[in-house]
Amino acid sequence: MKMSEKLYVVLPAYNEEENIESVVKSWHTVLYGKNEDSRIVIADSGSKDRTHEILENLKRKCPKLEVLSDTGRYHGEKVIALYDYAIKNGAAWIFQTDSDGQTNPDEFAAFWEMRKDFDGIFGERPVRGDGKQRAFVEKVVCFLLKLYFGVKVPDANAPFRLMKADVVAKYLPRLDKNYNLPNIMMTTYFAFYGEKLAFKQISFKPRQGGVNSINIPRIIKIGWKALGDFKKLKKGMKK
């Protein structure tokens, strides 16, 4: 397979000892038949449980697994670090998902088949297993993106996205390394600048184990800060 098909599957992790082994093993299989230098990369920094120990042990069973342990604790900065790592290591394609077991690796193949026609294929969650409150938050986010940036997207933050690395590289430097909502803004950049993008429906299960570190009060706090961030980011956006 050509070097242009080099794929990096990237996942942030935090206190995922109940999920991480099954998640890594299931996503490791999507690399079968891909470019030999393709990798699955987990960013685990700050976990207080056995997540890191499990990941290190998994390297023997999953030879394409790499672990980043110095990316910062929070989800956003981990995602940014993972994108940066994939770009610097020559990935042609970046696929991001989460490590809590809510997404289905079997649905990746359909995204991969679409890659020749699009710069980015983004998941859309018509049904969310993580509850009505989070579905409502997502609707509010999409409304705000339309209000602030004039973009209309059905799901801005789904952790199931296949993107050309060189397109991600155009927009990643615009975000601070510790920015909270990189996937929301990455979706916004793709839409605002007219990149070839598509949304494809995916399933989204309830969390498979452990406790979610992002609760509703924290979502509200992050959302309030995001309003100010959106204003600042909009100032630098010109078509």
Side-chain angles (χ1 to χ4, degrees), residues 142-204:
C142 291
F143 170 76
L144 291 174
L145 295 182
K146 185 176 181 181
L147 182 67
Y148 276 76
F149 303 102
V151 300
K152 186 177 181 180
V153 296
D155 194 332
N157 201 31
F160 201 102
R161 52 186 60 214
L162 178 66
M163 302 172 290
K164 281 186 177 179
D166 59 355
V167 179
V168 175
K170 288 197 296 184
Y171 304 122
L172 195 63
R174 302 185 182 202
L175 303 176
D176 292 337
K177 292 183 178 180
N178 61 350
Y179 182 61
N180 277 328
L181 306 171
N183 275 347
I184 289 176
M185 281 309 303
M186 195 59 65
T187 305
T188 301
Y189 286 134
F190 269 70
F192 184 85
Y193 288 107
E195 306 292 355
K196 292 185 289 185
L197 77 163
F199 288 87
K200 184 172 178 58
Q201 291 189 354
I202 60 168
S203 58
F204 199 67

Side-chain angles (χ1 to χ4, degrees), residues 1-7 35-38 89-93 112:
M1 189 169 288
K2 296 179 180 179
M3 286 300 292
S4 61
E5 298 288 81
K6 186 175 177 180
L7 168 68
N35 179 281
E36 185 62 27
D37 293 321
S38 296
N89 281 275
W93 291 92
W112 189 245

Side-chain angles (χ1 to χ4, degrees), residues 7-13 16 20 23-24 26-28 30 40-43 75 78-79 82-83 94-108 111 123 125 157-163 183 202-205:
L7 168 68
Y8 267 51
V9 176
V10 300
L11 302 85
E16 294 288 358
I20 199 65
V23 168
V24 169
S26 62
W27 281 105
H28 192 268
V30 308
I40 177 170
V41 187
I42 314 292
H75 183 276
K78 287 180 180 178
V79 170
L82 285 163
Y83 289 163
I94 302 172
F95 179 81
Q96 187 269 327
T97 190
D98 283 344
S99 55
D100 49 20
Q102 290 183 274
T103 56
N104 183 358
D106 292 339
E107 296 175 339
F108 172 81
F111 279 57
R125 299 165 287 184
N157 201 31
F160 201 102
R161 52 186 60 214
L162 178 66
M163 302 172 290
N183 275 347
I202 60 168
S203 58
F204 199 67
K205 298 176 285 186

Side-chain angles (χ1 to χ4, degrees), residues 11-80:
L11 302 85
Y14 179 72
N15 288 349
E16 294 288 358
E17 65 179 5
E18 294 184 32
N19 304 309
I20 199 65
E21 182 166 0
S22 62
V23 168
V24 169
K25 286 181 177 178
S26 62
W27 281 105
H28 192 268
T29 63
V30 308
L31 299 181
Y32 296 166
K34 305 295 188 299
N35 179 281
E36 185 62 27
D37 293 321
S38 296
R39 294 291 183 267
I40 177 170
V41 187
I42 314 292
D44 172 56
S45 182
S47 289
K48 298 177 181 178
D49 61 4
R50 295 182 57 248
T51 299
H52 191 74
E53 176 188 346
I54 294 169
L55 285 169
E56 290 299 324
N57 290 335
L58 276 171
K59 287 181 179 180
R60 293 192 291 270
K61 300 176 182 177
C62 302
K64 295 184 181 294
L65 170 64
E66 296 183 6
V67 180
L68 307 183
S69 58
D70 58 353
T71 60
R73 171 184 171 182
Y74 294 107
H75 183 276
E77 55 192 339
K78 287 180 180 178
V79 170
I80 289 173

